[in-house]
Each structure stands twice: as C-alpha cells, then as structure tokens.
Amino acid sequence: MSSCLASASQFCCGSRGKRLSRLYLIRHGETVWNAERRIQGQLDIDINDNGMKQAEAAALALSKLGILPTLDAVVSSDLLRASRTADIIAAAAARGSGRRPARTLDPQLREIGYGKLQGTESDNADCKKLQSSTFNAWIEGDLSKGFPEGETGYEFLERILQGLRQAAGLGEAVVVVAHGGLIRWSAAQIAPTPDEAKRLVKSPIVNCCCSTLVYDHDSDSFHAEEWFADLQKSSGPPRLVGKILENGKRLMGTQMGRRLADCVM
C-alpha cells in the first residue's frame, strides 16, 4: 500500500509558475509542557523563558540570513505559544528594517486536535499506543481515523492545507509560526516518495526550527526546499527556489493523495 500523503492536485512538485510565495514555516518556542513531555494539542499553553530565548535567537538567525527585511507578513496559529513566538519575530523585522510586516492570526494553523489525550504525558503507554495506531493509519491512507473527541486525519489535513494556502496569499515572503504536528504532516504530504514520507514523520522537530516551502499560485502546488532546519546551526540561506523548481517532479496520485484530494476538492 502507498504511504505517501501527497495530493497531485494540492501538494505536489509542479512546473515553474509565474507567481511564487516562499513560506518560512517555524515551530513555536518551548513551553513548560514541552519540557514535561505533555501533549498540548489545542490547549493554550504559553512559551516559557527558554522559549522566549529561542524565539529571539530565531529572529536573530533570520535577520543574519537576510530574511527579515524581505518579509511581507508574519502569520501564526492563534494559540499563545505560536503567537508569542511570531510577535517576537515580527517585532525584530520591524526594528531591523523599519518595514513592519503584516501580522495575522489563523486558527487553521493550530496543532492537531488530540482530544482526550491533551494534557497527558506523551510517554504514557496507552497514549503512545493510540498515537502510534492513529499515525500509522494516516501514513497508510486511512484518514478517517482520529483521536477521541479530537480530529480525524481528514479534518486535520484539510484545515492545515487551507491555512498554508491562505498564508501564501499574504505575500511573496511569509513567516508562518505553527506547531510540530502541523509541520511534520505537511512534510509527509509533500514528500516525493513513500519512504521519504515515513522518514520525515519520524524525524525530530526542535523548537523554533525552520522549514522552507514555495507555493506556486498558478499550479496551486507546494514545493519543499528544506525541512526542520535548526536555525541555531544554520550556515547559510535556504536553497534557491529556481534550483528546486527545475529539479522538481510532479507527484503521482497515490492512495492517500487521492483520499486527501477527495476531502478538500
């Protein structure tokens, strides 16, 4: 069975388009619950002191990479841990260039709705079992599975797709501050092969890491430049969009891709 989540009509590598937007997809700074390894989901937990420092360091790294002066907008989930991180980045952009990017909130960029699992320690055996079975179902194509009193795969993936599209509509260069689950499953959707999707789903996503996507407005497609880059260790700017688009290959409609397309078209 196919395990690639990409939809040929929504999340795919397509031909060069005339209108492009680059999204810098950043995970929020650390929270107390991150440190305690508790599932936050859509509960509104603020960043802690370390998270503040991470957000400030991310803003500095984006400035050194020459990204902040180019920003048209900074959009985030409306949850405090994301919005606080985004506010720090937006303020740094305004200070550094005197050009204040638009600042917006979008609840479509929230974390997975984990329902009854929210607040539970992630190392809890029952919790780990339910997460594993649900995520394995998603990667194998069963988007109908979800969390008790939470979201199904259909609901979650449709929501984040619309959120990323709307973010791309805010300008040519946009910072998107969101959550680990959203970033992880966006990566799986865009991955060019089933094996790569599985690898990305299992990859670590540190707080304030940066993933770079390009949205082609003409072909209505996303292209990944880089995933989960630790800004504290970055030695240079993200790869050039032209190289990525020239080398990109259109994904075929897989079992999961077709199911995702069915739920959003």
Side-chain angles (χ1 to χ4, degrees):
M1 269 192 298
S2 168
S3 62
C4 181
L5 293 175
S7 164
S9 59
Q10 269 81 30
F11 277 97
C12 61
C13 295
S15 60
R16 185 187 302 276
K18 294 181 180 180
R19 296 183 300 143
L20 301 174
S21 295
R22 180 179 277 117
L23 304 182
Y24 300 99
L25 188 54
I26 296 175
R27 188 186 178 199
H28 60 79
E30 184 187 73
T31 71
V32 171
W33 279 23
N34 283 150
E36 294 177 351
R37 296 183 58 79
R38 291 185 179 275
I39 295 177
Q40 298 173 110
Q42 297 188 2
L43 297 181
D44 205 6
I45 313 299
D46 203 352
I47 56 177
N48 58 18
D49 289 344
N50 190 45
M52 293 281 286
K53 293 176 182 178
Q54 290 172 339
E56 291 165 356
L60 179 60
L62 292 173
S63 177
K64 289 181 177 179
L65 292 171
I67 292 170
L68 287 191
T70 72
L71 294 181
D72 296 305
V74 177
V75 59
S76 73
S77 155
D78 60 341
L79 297 177
L80 268 175
R81 57 192 185 272
S83 64
R84 193 88 71 188
T85 302
D87 286 344
I88 290 170
I89 294 172
R95 285 195 307 270
S97 65
R99 176 174 174 264
R100 184 177 296 274
R103 176 73 183 92
T104 63
L105 302 175
D106 188 348
Q108 294 181 114
L109 298 173
R110 287 185 176 190
E111 181 59 290
I112 298 169
Y114 281 102
K116 288 185 175 182
L117 291 188
Q118 294 176 169
T120 305
E121 292 183 358
S122 59
D123 291 332
N124 175 279
D126 291 337
C127 176
K128 290 175 70 173
K129 183 178 179 180
L130 180 55
Q131 282 194 89
S132 179
S133 64
T134 300
F135 291 152
N136 285 339
W138 290 5
I139 203 73
E140 294 297 339
D142 183 5
L143 295 174
S144 65
K145 193 171 180 61
F147 296 95
E149 299 183 12
E151 288 183 297
T152 65
Y154 281 117
E155 293 165 338
F156 173 58
L157 296 173
E158 179 179 12
R159 169 170 64 80
I160 67 173
L161 170 64
Q162 295 302 330
L164 291 175
R165 273 179 167 161
Q166 290 183 19
L170 296 174
E172 294 181 357
V174 180
V175 161
V176 181
V177 182
H179 305 268
L182 180 148
I183 297 168
R184 187 183 305 280
W185 287 96
S186 295
Q189 291 167 43
I190 298 170
T193 67
D195 286 344
E196 180 68 0
K198 288 181 178 180
R199 185 189 69 81
L200 288 168
V201 163
K202 296 178 181 178
S203 297
I205 302 179
V206 300
N207 291 102
C208 286
C209 67
C210 182
S211 301
T212 313
L213 306 179
V214 173
Y215 180 67
D216 185 328
H217 294 264
D218 296 322
S219 65
D220 187 18
S221 60
F222 283 93
H223 316 270
E225 291 186 317
E226 188 168 2
W227 289 115
F228 321 146
D230 188 342
L231 288 174
Q232 311 310 306
K233 300 178 180 178
S234 180
S235 59
R239 290 169 288 182
L240 295 176
V241 59
K243 181 178 179 182
I244 297 300
L245 297 185
E246 287 170 3
N247 293 337
K249 294 182 179 180
R250 182 170 296 275
L251 292 174
M252 300 303 293
T254 62
Q255 175 180 321
M256 172 106 16
R258 287 190 292 272
R259 291 185 183 182
L260 176 57
D262 289 342
C263 80
V264 297
M265 291 177 65

